[in-house]
Amino acid sequence: MPAFRPRVKPPRLYAGSVGLRVILPRDAERMGDLLRGNRSWLQEWEATHPEGYSVAPGSTPYGPVIKSMRQNLRTGTGIPWVITYNDEVVGQLNASELSGGALRSGQLGYWIAEGYAGKGIVPTAVALAMDYLFDIWGLHRVEICIRPENAASLRVVEKLGMRYEGCRQAYIHIGGQWRDHESFAITREERETTMLERLRR
């Protein structure tokens, strides 16, 4: 049972050419194409099932995945966004483990197609998501966990000025092994201004 659910449906969010919108059933074909086309770029960071039941993203229809993610939105436990650049879908950002009550916390995870990496799209999308989660969803704390080998994602949290909280050992099963992740977080009070403003500094 969800701890809380805001009364507003997440709108489209924009900062210049970068945007976020809730994933839709019609995005299934585009998302499948992106995942298949960026297989070698993404597979190093993709979660796997410890019992060996994992299926390579993009190898099966993406519609059921979207349906599951949108169910999280309906229950108030997650927000599945697509990342857009000049209104073209180029990746995904997912807010998960959203909790209310005394916790008011959530986690972010994301990926982007290789051809759009390094353009500042992901940091902007993450800043948009965080500002929405703090100001509209009412969260107090947002966390991002990153593998220590993922230099590009580590650069995202560095640009946003997130606080390092430590290593979560054997945290997520990836590539057939339990992998350590570095944990970064920020609270609404620490933010001081918007995350977009922090990024622009």
Side-chain angles (χ1 to χ4, degrees), residues 1 7 25 29 31 45 48-49 51 53 63 83 91 105 111-112 120-121 124 127 169 171 181:
M1 182 176 179
R7 297 179 180 178
E29 183 177 356
M31 298 302 286
W45 319 114
T48 50
H49 196 289
E51 304 300 328
Y53 302 134
I83 301 172
S105 180
W111 61 266
I112 191 168
I121 298 172
T124 301
Q169 296 184 12
Y171 182 52
H181 281 65

Side-chain angles (χ1 to χ4, degrees), residues 29-50:
E29 183 177 356
R30 172 63 175 170
M31 298 302 286
D33 288 345
L34 281 176
L35 289 167
R36 286 188 294 271
N38 290 270
R39 191 81 190 94
S40 60
W41 165 252
L42 298 172
Q43 64 182 354
E44 186 176 359
W45 319 114
E46 290 167 354
T48 50
H49 196 289

Side-chain angles (χ1 to χ4, degrees), residues 9-137:
K9 178 181 178 180
R12 293 191 179 208
L13 306 173
Y14 286 99
S17 300
V18 179
L20 288 177
R21 67 164 171 79
V22 171
I23 197 168
L24 300 169
R26 68 169 184 259
D27 294 315
E29 183 177 356
R30 172 63 175 170
M31 298 302 286
D33 288 345
L34 281 176
L35 289 167
R36 286 188 294 271
N38 290 270
R39 191 81 190 94
S40 60
W41 165 252
L42 298 172
Q43 64 182 354
E44 186 176 359
W45 319 114
E46 290 167 354
T48 50
H49 196 289
E51 304 300 328
Y53 302 134
S54 303
V55 177
S59 63
T60 58
Y62 206 68
V65 177
I66 292 177
K67 183 178 180 180
S68 176
M69 290 189 292
R70 287 178 61 83
Q71 178 62 28
N72 292 335
L73 177 61
R74 286 189 290 272
T75 60
T77 57
I79 306 177
W81 281 293
V82 290
I83 301 172
T84 63
Y85 185 65
N86 292 325
D87 291 323
E88 179 181 2
V89 175
V90 298
Q92 187 178 345
L93 191 156
N94 195 45
S96 62
E97 307 296 332
L98 299 183
S99 301
L103 189 56
R104 295 280 171 138
S105 180
Q107 295 188 358
L108 292 183
Y110 46 81
W111 61 266
I112 191 168
E114 184 175 12
Y116 294 90
K119 299 178 183 294
I121 298 172
V122 171
T124 301
V126 170
L128 281 169
M130 285 187 169
D131 284 335
Y132 182 79
L133 291 169
F134 284 134
D135 296 332
I136 305 301
W137 211 264

